[in-house]
Amino acid sequence: MTTEAAPPPGGAGTQQAGPSAEDFARVQQSAEFAELRRSYRSFAFPLTVAFIAWYLLYVLLSNYAGGFMGTKLFGNINVALVLGLGQFATTFLIAWLYSRHAATRLDPKAEAIKARMEAGE
């Protein structure tokens, strides 16, 4: 089987060198990378803590406040069902918010860092 693709530049046995470990260490120490980490952490950590607290509240209410959780709101719908479905809604909302945050704030910064590393700067 033959291919019609041209050989890579530089000959048959050579490989292009990527960024070295020193390059990665230098980027990790840069202010730009610190800003990227800060932007990620300032979004992810508060939402993680809030969601875990919300989830634990739901579990604790389920265990210790059965009367409250069994309160019928309308028809066969009670507080426990509404809060349980709220857990799913919250999960999808957080995923959507993170996706938006990453696309607008994190990805452009990460792409800029990547482009500079690939260019050898």
Side-chain angles (χ1 to χ4, degrees):
M1 177 178 203
T2 63
T3 62
E4 296 185 25
T14 62
Q15 293 180 344
Q16 283 188 322
S20 67
E22 292 80 22
D23 293 335
F24 282 104
R26 188 178 71 251
V27 167
Q28 186 179 11
Q29 300 302 321
S30 72
E32 187 178 29
F33 188 76
E35 172 61 25
L36 175 63
R37 274 193 320 227
R38 188 201 60 75
S39 183
Y40 168 75
R41 288 177 179 168
S42 69
F43 182 87
F45 288 170
L47 272 180
T48 300
V49 169
F51 183 78
I52 289 172
W54 158 231
Y55 176 74
L56 288 176
L57 174 67
Y58 175 71
V59 170
L60 291 173
L61 287 173
S62 295
N63 276 331
Y64 301 110
F68 170 71
M69 294 294 270
T71 303
K72 291 195 184 247
L73 299 175
F74 49 91
N76 288 330
I77 308 298
N78 61 16
V79 172
L81 180 62
V82 171
L83 293 180
L85 292 174
Q87 291 288 316
F88 286 103
T90 304
T91 301
F92 289 112
L93 176 66
I94 290 172
W96 176 74
L97 287 172
Y98 177 76
S99 174
R100 215 176 72 179
H101 174 74
T104 58
R105 300 227 172 103
L106 302 178
D107 292 347
K109 293 174 186 175
E111 281 297 321
I113 292 170
K114 179 184 171 195
R116 273 192 278 294
M117 283 193 74
E118 288 175 346
E121 294 177 18

